Amino acid sequence: MPEFTTQQVHAGESRDAAHGARVTPIYLTAGFEFDSFAQAEGRFGGDEAGYTYSRSGNPTTAALERRVAGLERGREAIAVGSGQAALTVALLGLVQAGDHILSAQSIYSGTRGLFENGLKRLGIEIEFVDDPTDLDEWRRRVRPNTRVLFGESIANPGTEILDVAGVATVAHENGLPLVVDNTLATPYLLRPGDFGADIVVHSASKYLGGHGSTLGGIVVDQGGYDWAASPFRHLTGPDEWLDGRSYVDVHGAGAYAAFARSVVASLFGPVLSPMNAFLIQQGIETLSLRVQRQSDTALAVARWLEAQPEVVRVDYAGLASHRAYGLAQRYLPRGQGAVLGFALAGGAAAAERFYDAVELFSRMTHIGDVRSLILHPASTTHGHLTADVREELGIGGGLLRLSIGLEDADDLIEDLARGLAAVAAGSAVSEGAAGASAGDAADALPAHAFATDAAVPAAGR
């Protein structure tokens, strides 16, 4: 089998027979013309290969699907309009009202919102495993109505690493599939299917696309789970749309992918634009180059931050001090990804001064960009969570999240030093103001004057 760097350029490609275009063309069309009555009937009936409508399939999108399926060594992929859509399609292809999902506690807040505010409204129960490294806890939490085990290969923002093989073993002991969000690792750093994951999802808006210019999501059926022996009655039981046959009868090992594509993705309609599919495929061609450099730089930045006295904690699994370091060495030998968090001793006030002082890092909610990004999770992406949940997840007021891009590591560290200088200047202002109020008020400078004088030089360093 070709190496990853070869596959990211060539996997799943199909030459353009009409004109010889070397790059996959963008098929900006809503529908597709039929040659005859019989061809139209055959395509809609599934007896003839081909496209009917871009909501159900498009040649540009199909090329992206083949590429990602190849990189993840999966059986089939489904491309949709966003990462959130990918997770929704993946899960609604499995669960229904009355079912139970068992998930790692450390998942991204947007995913948690989908679970608690979206799927719960549909009658789907959600439960979180407090310590995802405790396989016995996973076993204890499995119920008779559990249908899915879920986790993230690298959690956002705490960078906990999922023991994919261990959790997959628990899932398979109970005849259940394991779904893994592999967005932060990408198939370059980790293929969850190699360790037993059954379904892999990606927010292609992040590292696969890589340039922060488009949204997209991917669901990959790894092809190893036995759908015929599964508890999913919507796949094994008779279906009116299939003239009383089941999805397993008609599609065999592809039963889940066929249902997720034709029923969930097509009918709910989270369509990926052919233009976005094209842009994501272009991004994938340089995936290994970007992710390797970003991971290497992230490790350098994490080590520098860990040495700074103002920083009380660095969340990056590439550091020996991180609780997931052992798992990271096992599952992510090429690199531990490009997202990291760090907590400042001064809490939220220090985080705000730091955040506003940086100049090279872009202040925005996103990850996986070629540009380096910074965010304050407690007041933005995780702000809707209760204080107890944020505390449990380590999302304190002093935590800042970084997504490392392609800039030079020294330039990024210089910008972070600028942020720390602003924190130090702000602390000096606070201490000076406190000392003045306790001493001779007549000798005290106005706090605003002190802050102006101190902050300008600090921001310029």
Side-chain angles (χ1 to χ4, degrees), residues 182 203 249 267 274 277 289 291 295 297 326-327 332 369 375 400 442 457 461:
N182 199 36
S203 173
D249 291 337
L267 297 185
L289 305 177
V291 171
S295 295
T297 302
L327 288 172
L332 300 160
D369 202 314
L375 191 73
L400 291 165
R461 286 200 290 269

Side-chain angles (χ1 to χ4, degrees), residues 144-440:
N145 64 332
T146 301
R147 291 295 176 266
V148 176
L149 273 61
F150 174 80
E152 296 172 347
S153 53
I154 304 177
N156 175 11
T159 73
E160 291 85 357
I161 307 301
L162 186 70
D163 182 357
V164 181
V167 180
T169 296
V170 176
H172 298 158
E173 286 172 353
N174 292 276
L176 302 174
L178 171 62
V179 178
V180 174
D181 184 331
N182 199 36
T183 297
L184 268 67
T186 80
Y188 173 67
L189 296 179
L190 171 66
R191 290 184 173 109
D194 290 353
F195 296 93
D198 302 292
I199 298 166
V200 174
V201 297
H202 286 275
S203 173
S205 322
K206 311 302 192 298
Y207 293 97
L208 296 185
H211 294 82
S213 60
T214 188
L215 296 180
I218 308 284
V219 181
V220 182
D221 177 4
Q222 292 297 135
Y225 184 80
D226 186 358
W227 301 106
S230 77
F232 301 106
R233 294 295 300 162
H234 61 285
L235 301 180
T236 61
D239 190 284
E240 291 183 0
W241 280 25
L242 301 178
D243 297 324
R245 295 174 295 171
S246 72
Y247 275 84
V248 169
D249 291 337
V250 175
H251 299 284
Y256 165 78
F259 182 87
R261 184 188 298 278
S262 64
V263 176
V264 185
S266 182
L267 297 185
F268 281 83
V271 183
L272 179 65
S273 161
M275 176 65 78
N276 287 3
F278 173 83
L279 292 173
I280 294 167
Q281 189 164 347
Q282 289 285 292
I284 289 174
E285 293 179 353
T286 60
L287 179 63
S288 64
L289 305 177
R290 289 183 285 103
V291 171
Q292 187 65 67
R293 178 179 173 87
Q294 288 168 311
S295 295
D296 292 345
T297 302
L299 179 57
V301 167
R303 286 172 172 165
W304 182 85
L305 284 168
E306 194 173 42
Q308 306 311 306
E310 300 89 347
V311 176
V312 296
R313 187 184 88 237
V314 179
D315 293 330
Y316 187 68
L319 296 175
S321 58
H322 194 278
R323 55 196 171 277
Y325 179 76
L327 288 172
Q329 297 307 297
R330 175 185 178 188
Y331 288 109
L332 300 160
R334 281 176 165 168
Q336 294 75 49
V339 171
L340 61 106
F342 66 98
L344 294 167
E352 182 175 0
R353 287 192 290 269
F354 189 105
Y355 186 87
D356 288 342
V358 295
E359 297 175 1
L360 187 56
F361 281 84
S362 298
R363 291 177 281 270
M364 59 184 289
T365 172
H366 189 52
I367 57 173
D369 202 314
V370 294
R371 288 155 283 272
S372 290
L373 317 174
I374 186 170
L375 191 73
H376 183 247
S379 62
T380 56
T381 55
H382 292 68
H384 66 282
L385 301 178
T386 65
D388 289 345
V389 172
R390 285 201 302 272
E391 182 178 357
E392 188 172 358
L393 296 175
I395 311 295
L399 181 73
L400 291 165
R401 185 191 73 185
L402 304 180
S403 173
I404 301 300
L406 294 180
E407 301 92 344
D408 189 272
D410 289 341
D411 292 330
L412 294 176
I413 289 172
E414 181 180 356
D415 199 37
L416 296 173
R418 183 179 294 110
L420 290 179
V423 171
S427 298
V429 170
S430 300
E431 291 171 5
S437 63
D440 185 357

